[in-house]
Amino acid sequence: SPKLHYVPFSNIPIDQRKDTRPILEATFKLPNDDLVTVFAVHFPAPYHPMIYRKESFNYLNFLHNNLPNDRYVIAAGDFNVTTDERQKHQILKNTISDYWTITHDLKPMNTPGTSFYKPKKSWSFLDMILLGKKFKSPESTWALDLDSLKVANNYAGQNQVDDNITIPQSYNMQTGLGVSDHWPIYLEIILKK
């Protein structure tokens, strides 16, 4: 049954724990009876100090490590890591490289990011899908179908053009146009032959 895990922030006072959300965990049976545990995340926004996201990743790693070793694990959602945090501060390299594979790093994507920050005119992959350690194991019976991996941004209703750049269009209640200010990432896993 699904579980909610509240991140036990240790370096952030309780009165400053705004905009923090729990991690949702659900386990599913795959067609060959293997189990996959999926974590759905929405980490604290980039306007909060980076320590919020570091502690969230550390807790996600803890949850991953407390599952059985033979468990397939996927984490997906809005991790809110900007390109600047990733490149300049190495937040992903320093917090998740021992536990996870970042799927959109495995092949060139059809867009420079999933979210466009208008004030700086910059793209970031705030949204990610991470594959746990078991997918890299030689005994793994499941693998990422690289051909399926893409940013899902082909639906015209989710896009807008701003300064000749196609970007995600937030939902507008008045017009009914738009979907989200982020584009989702899509992938399929396949049973190895």
Side-chain angles (χ1 to χ4, degrees), residues 147-165:
D147 291 334
S148 73
L149 180 62
K150 64 185 168 230
V151 174
N153 62 350
N154 291 333
Y155 169 57
Q158 74 185 112
N159 302 327
Q160 66 179 321
V161 177
D162 190 304
D163 289 336
N164 294 322
I165 302 171

Side-chain angles (χ1 to χ4, degrees), residues 39-161:
F39 294 106
V41 308
H42 193 166
F43 284 177
Y47 61 80
H48 292 298
M50 191 169 51
I51 189 69
Y52 279 56
R53 287 171 295 289
K54 281 185 177 178
E55 288 201 22
S56 297
F57 275 117
N58 289 336
Y59 191 59
L60 180 64
N61 295 341
F62 169 80
L63 295 173
H64 178 292
N65 285 343
N66 279 292
L67 292 170
N69 288 335
D70 63 347
R71 182 72 50 88
Y72 292 92
V73 185
I74 297 172
D78 183 355
F79 290 87
N80 270 317
V81 174
T82 65
T83 298
D84 183 59
E85 282 184 348
R86 182 170 185 182
Q87 292 174 348
K88 187 170 157 188
H89 302 288
Q90 301 286 305
I91 183 173
L92 297 179
K93 182 179 180 189
N94 294 333
T95 56
I96 69 168
S97 59
D98 292 340
Y99 306 94
W100 305 96
T101 299
I102 303 168
T103 58
H104 69 264
D105 284 350
L106 299 176
K107 77 169 209 177
M109 298 300 287
N110 57 326
T111 178
T114 60
S115 178
F116 184 74
Y117 186 54
K118 288 183 185 181
K120 290 188 176 180
K121 296 196 180 305
S122 64
W123 286 96
S124 291
F125 273 97
L126 298 182
D127 310 274
M128 296 186 282
I129 300 175
L130 308 179
L131 298 180
K133 293 186 278 192
K134 176 69 176 173
F135 283 97
K136 292 194 270 188
S137 163
E139 302 90 46
S140 172
T141 54
W142 291 90
L144 164 64
D145 176 4
L146 265 178
D147 291 334
S148 73
L149 180 62
K150 64 185 168 230
V151 174
N153 62 350
N154 291 333
Y155 169 57
Q158 74 185 112
N159 302 327
Q160 66 179 321
V161 177

